[in-house]
Amino acid sequence: MTANYHTHTWRCLHASGTERQYVERAIEGGLAVLGFSDHAPMPYPDGYVSGVRMEMDQLEDYVTTLLDLKREYKDEIELHIGLEAEYYPAYFEPLLRVLEQYPIEYLLLGQHFLGNEIGDAYSGAVTDDPARLERYCRQSCEALRTGCFSYFAHPDLIHFTGDAALYEGWMRRLCRCAREQGIPLEVNLLGIREGRHYPNPAFWRIAAEEGGAVILGADAHTPEAVCDTASLPKAEALLRGGGLTRLERLTLRRPTLARP
Ligand SMILES: [Zn+2]
Ligand SMILES: [Zn+2]
């Protein structure tokens, strides 16, 4: 792995270390590219505070901190400034309006909640409800079609324990949608590191049959995790059939209100 585009910072309240430590660790580990993609702030109504993302007034500091590091380390590593965001229909345009004021180079789609987060459950919660599976797939496809996302992080986050044929049908639609939009799917190394329910082998069998692009993402919440070589064999085993084209470098799409 020579590039990682999935990296968090302390601002999301569940990551640790300084940005500089992540950069230094990436250089030591031999990465040529490191992209930061902390959980995006959301323009929520006053009074609602999400416990898993930076606040809107921290975005300025996030960007300036990374711009300074980008300059300082330019001869040693290529740094990029991104965000990992959900597609929440009620907040997406207001979010883009804010992001357009900053040099945000890319968004990763991480659909952690359905609906608009507020009052809805975590997408990764165990469920056998076909309606939740369908909502996850429909909402994620709608997100991919905005043209604002550069890759789809842990597309297999939904933890569906119901009918396997139903799961397969919806996941095929999701994989096709990503392929049609030219958006790579991510094998999430954090899931491997922590033994989570994703990456889900059933999903990756379907994805390989559907074809398209795949990328590995460290989803680092600590500096040590930016170069997660220990998880690579399991990630590579999932992709062994070779049905997906593995990308090392990502084509960055700047998120914009202007539809491509
Ligand atoms: Zn996180
Ligand atoms: Zn993440």
Side-chain angles (χ1 to χ4, degrees):
M1 218 172 147
T2 60
N4 169 50
Y5 297 89
H6 196 162
T7 313
H8 293 277
T9 80
W10 56 272
R11 291 173 193 76
C12 70
L13 307 172
H14 59 277
S16 56
T18 64
E19 293 82 352
R20 183 182 300 279
Q21 287 173 321
Y22 286 81
V23 173
E24 295 273 355
R25 180 67 200 106
I27 294 167
E28 276 167 30
L31 290 190
V33 178
L34 180 67
F36 281 87
S37 54
D38 207 3
H39 295 282
M42 288 288 167
Y44 288 134
D46 285 347
Y48 181 80
V49 177
S50 172
V52 293
R53 59 185 76 256
M54 70 178 83
E55 286 296 298
M56 202 51 94
D57 62 8
Q58 291 180 289
L59 188 56
E60 177 87 33
D61 174 62
Y62 175 70
V63 170
T64 49
T65 301
L66 295 179
L67 282 173
D68 286 346
L69 289 170
K70 216 173 167 157
R71 270 188 294 271
E72 187 180 334
Y73 286 90
K74 69 175 184 325
D75 297 328
E76 287 156 274
I77 191 166
E78 186 181 318
L79 297 178
H80 293 290
I81 307 175
L83 290 164
E84 179 181 18
E86 294 80 0
Y87 171 69
Y88 294 147
Y91 303 110
F92 200 59
E93 289 215 3
L95 173 65
L96 291 177
R97 236 171 273 134
V98 173
L99 299 187
E100 284 197 330
Q101 298 164 39
Y102 295 91
I104 300 294
E105 300 174 77
Y106 68 101
L107 291 185
L108 304 184
L109 174 64
Q111 195 60 45
H112 298 101
F113 289 83
L114 296 180
N116 293 293
E117 179 167 331
I118 302 172
D120 228 309
Y122 174 53
S123 304
V126 177
T127 183
D128 59 4
D129 181 358
R132 282 193 68 77
L133 173 67
E134 178 174 345
R135 284 179 70 208
Y136 177 78
C137 291
R138 285 192 187 281
Q139 190 163 349
S140 300
C141 283
E142 204 174 308
L144 298 176
R145 291 194 186 107
T146 64
C148 290
F149 293 97
S150 296
Y151 89 48
F152 189 2
H154 42 63
D156 44 353
L157 176 63
I158 184 98
H159 194 176
F160 186 70
T161 54
D163 183 54
L166 203 61
Y167 178 81
E168 181 176 330
W170 279 106
M171 288 301 156
R172 278 197 192 284
R173 287 172 73 156
L174 189 58
C175 291
R176 265 175 226 163
C177 176
R179 189 193 63 210
E180 281 162 16
Q181 299 297 320
I183 298 176
L185 303 171
E186 178 208 64
V187 172
N188 187 270
L189 301 181
L190 171 65
I192 294 176
R193 263 192 320 276
E194 297 196 344
R196 296 188 178 184
H197 66 280
Y198 59 88
N200 178 347
F203 174 86
W204 290 100
R205 269 194 301 276
I206 297 163
E209 285 169 17
E210 293 300 330
V214 63
I215 190 162
L216 307 189
D219 200 353
H221 288 76
T222 61
E224 296 69 42
V226 292
C227 298
D228 183 7
T229 44
S231 298
L232 287 180
K234 280 192 178 169
E236 280 156 1
L238 281 172
L239 303 173
R240 202 156 27 213
L244 292 157
T245 306
R246 182 167 160 194
L247 304 180
E248 273 293 323
R249 298 298 162 87
L250 188 63
T251 303
L252 304 178
R253 306 184 186 198
R254 177 162 158 74
T256 171
L257 271 166
R259 291 286 183 267

